[in-house]
Amino acid sequence: MIPLSRKSPVSPERCNLARAVNEIGDRWTLLILRSALYGLRRFDDFQSELGTPRTILSGRLRSLVETGLLEKKMYKVEGKRARPEYVLTEKGEALRPVLIALTQWGDVWLDSDSLPPVSFTDMQSRQSVRTAFVTAEGREVPSENLRIVLRR
Amino acid sequence: MIPLSRKSPVSPERCNLARAVNEIGDRWTLLILRSALYGLRRFDDFQSELGTPRTILSGRLRSLVETGLLEKKMYKVEGKRARPEYVLTEKGEALRPVLIALTQWGDVWLDSDSLPPVSFTDMQSRQSVRTAFVTAEGREVPSENLRIVLRR
DNA sequence: ATGCATGAGTTCGTCTTCCAAATCCAGCCT
DNA sequence: AGGCTGGATTTGGAAGACGAACTCATGCAT
């Protein structure tokens, strides 16, 4: 069990985790990102999948564009007029491992009875895949062996 | 770039990611968990570190106990009265890799100029550590090689 | 041209949640 | 008794969430 502390080693203002939480740590934002990572791009597709109130959705999409997680582009299908679509940027796509890790946490701790509806495998070996900590050259480090290092 | 889809392969109701978001996907909840993972346990310590309104904090702590992420225990220091403390359960502790992954996302995408204030190393080799996907036996799989598998 | 369909929003009134400050409460101290 | 301390609830006002209806632009059919 982690030892008692009265104060975090990094204040929330300087902490990149806290900053990340301020940027994306909100129910609708996270659900929108989830759908976006599954390939959704259009306003009404997000709306009908998630049931987000349209007014909220429009605001959240705007801030996701402002923070650079989504990019607003125009698409045009033959015979229809041009409409916006919201596609993940590199920054947004970089959240995929985080959200997969959270999915796997949910698989274990929220629904351990049934088999998870989605899982992830290596395209090549077809083995199933989990998130873990690795060194620079890719050797796994068990999480008990992690040590926090503060920059002086 | 991920191909357009009009609908996620798993509906939000069945999705463990969406469920996880419903359980912890809220600003204060995530910030409380961050502090808890750094060892904070006491009401006033959370309150003064995060500035959470006391009324909100008390509600969030209660639901974190209800969902089994924190456990409410009593502690007693000599000469003071017994007080509650909120310690991470195994389920809560299991979120650590997820939040470390999010921290590292923040290091790269929110604050790439300065060096991150905290980093993580392997206790043994002292090498720095990142999150990645690995197979069962711990071989790293690059994220481009991931494939989603739906359970039939 | 007129009318209709479509997708992406906005407007509006209501209702919930958030918030800060003050207050309460229990137990331990002198 | 009286004061202190840390955990928590009460209160009234502010902010944000919500659902329904409406707007707006464009392309298509008549």
Side-chain angles (χ1 to χ4, degrees):
Chain A
M1 190 172 60
I2 185 170
L4 172 68
S5 155
R6 310 295 310 276
K7 193 153 133 326
S8 296
V10 190
S11 75
E13 296 78 45
R14 299 183 55 242
C15 177
N16 285 329
L17 173 53
R19 287 181 184 149
V21 166
N22 283 322
E23 192 159 309
I24 63 165
D26 142 297
R27 213 178 98 76
W28 289 123
T29 302
L30 286 166
L31 291 173
I32 291 165
L33 286 171
R34 165 192 169 279
S35 294
L37 286 164
Y38 277 129
L40 270 67
R41 295 182 194 167
R42 322 233 252 233
F43 190 96
D44 274 15
D45 292 343
F46 289 115
Q47 205 282 320
S48 66
E49 173 157 302
L50 299 172
T52 317
R54 307 177 78 76
T55 139
I56 305 296
L57 180 57
S58 122
R60 292 296 196 280
L61 289 174
R62 189 167 343 105
S63 23
L64 283 165
V65 170
E66 272 164 19
T67 54
L69 286 153
L70 297 179
E71 189 185 356
K72 185 172 184 171
K73 298 182 169 178
M74 289 294 169
Y75 73 94
K76 180 146 177 27
V77 294
E78 167 59 26
K80 304 264 179 174
R81 84 175 199 263
R83 297 184 175 288
E85 65 181 359
Y86 299 90
V87 303
L88 284 167
T89 60
E90 197 189 344
K91 176 178 176 181
E93 183 63 42
L95 277 174
R96 186 181 298 276
V98 178
L99 294 195
I100 290 180
L102 184 54
T103 304
Q104 295 185 341
W105 177 85
D107 291 344
V108 173
W109 293 100
L110 301 179
D111 190 36
S112 48
D113 308 331
S114 43
L115 289 174
V118 290
S119 59
F120 301 88
T121 60
D122 177 9
M123 278 170 75
Q124 277 150 21
S125 66
R126 299 184 174 272
Q127 287 182 285
S128 74
V129 156
R130 63 196 160 83
T131 51
F133 296 103
V134 298
T135 60
E137 55 297 353
R139 183 177 52 77
E140 181 178 359
V141 176
S143 51
E144 315 83 69
N145 289 9
L146 286 192
R147 167 165 298 173
I148 296 181
V149 180
L150 297 184
R151 199 164 59 81
R152 299 147 308 272
Chain B
M1 189 173 60
I2 186 171
L4 173 68
S5 155
R6 310 293 313 275
K7 193 152 134 325
S8 296
V10 190
S11 76
E13 297 77 44
R14 298 182 56 243
C15 176
N16 285 330
L17 173 52
R19 286 179 185 152
V21 166
N22 283 323
E23 191 159 310
I24 63 165
D26 141 293
R27 214 180 98 75
W28 290 122
T29 302
L30 286 166
L31 290 174
I32 291 165
L33 287 171
R34 167 192 167 278
S35 295
L37 287 165
Y38 278 129
L40 271 67
R41 295 181 193 167
R42 304 186 183 166
F43 190 95
D44 273 15
D45 292 342
F46 289 115
Q47 205 282 321
S48 66
E49 173 156 303
L50 300 172
T52 317
R54 308 178 78 75
T55 147
I56 305 295
L57 180 57
S58 124
R60 292 296 196 280
L61 288 173
R62 190 171 339 106
S63 25
L64 283 166
V65 170
E66 272 164 20
T67 54
L69 287 154
L70 296 179
E71 189 185 355
K72 184 173 185 171
K73 297 182 170 178
M74 289 295 170
Y75 73 95
K76 179 146 177 24
V77 294
E78 170 57 26
K80 306 264 178 174
R81 82 172 201 265
R83 298 183 177 289
E85 64 180 1
Y86 300 89
V87 303
L88 284 167
T89 61
E90 197 188 344
K91 176 177 176 183
E93 184 62 42
L95 276 174
R96 186 181 297 276
V98 178
L99 294 195
I100 291 180
L102 184 53
T103 304
Q104 295 186 341
W105 178 85
D107 291 344
V108 173
W109 293 99
L110 301 180
D111 190 35
S112 48
D113 308 330
S114 44
L115 288 174
V118 289
S119 60
F120 300 89
T121 60
D122 176 8
M123 279 170 74
Q124 278 150 20
S125 68
R126 301 184 174 271
Q127 288 182 283
S128 74
V129 156
R130 63 195 160 85
T131 51
F133 297 104
V134 298
T135 60
E137 64 280 10
R139 184 178 50 78
E140 183 178 356
V141 177
S143 51
E144 315 83 70
N145 289 9
L146 285 192
R147 166 166 299 173
I148 295 183
V149 180
L150 296 184
R151 200 164 60 81
R152 302 148 309 270

